Amino acid sequence: MPSLNVTFTEEELEEVRAAAAAEGKSLKQYVHDLPLRERQRRQFVRYAVSWGEIHRAEFDDAFPDEIPPATRERGADAA
């Protein structure tokens, strides 16, 4: 099975050990899971951004005062 040696400073290693302990995992299991969790996080963010873009018009219609000034139509600021 492929493996990987990763170098940490003492301070970094202490932080990683503390994070692993906080999750109740061994250091090896915690470090193994990190890239998998990052992949899942990126997938979630891509979906969330896509969902937001799809529903942007609905949000803008429901909350017209929340539209950032840069994207407002001319004259929308005048009161």
Side-chain angles (χ1 to χ4, degrees):
M1 181 177 290
S3 64
L4 176 67
N5 290 327
V6 180
T7 305
F8 294 99
T9 65
E10 288 297 323
E11 187 176 286
E12 291 168 338
L13 188 56
E14 275 307 309
E15 290 178 16
V16 174
R17 280 190 178 124
E23 290 194 18
K25 294 182 179 181
S26 69
L27 183 60
K28 184 176 181 178
Q29 187 64 51
Y30 181 79
V31 172
H32 170 270
D33 291 350
L34 284 176
L36 305 176
R37 287 182 7 192
E38 177 59 17
R39 184 180 69 203
Q40 291 171 340
R41 185 195 70 78
R42 284 193 313 258
Q43 182 179 3
F44 173 82
V45 168
R46 277 193 306 271
Y47 174 79
V49 167
S50 172
W51 187 92
E53 291 298 320
I54 290 167
H55 296 281
R56 179 182 298 240
E58 293 171 45
F59 181 87
D60 289 348
D61 290 343
F63 304 100
D65 293 337
E66 297 299 321
I67 300 171
T71 61
R72 289 186 185 150
E73 293 177 15
R74 290 200 182 269
D77 293 2

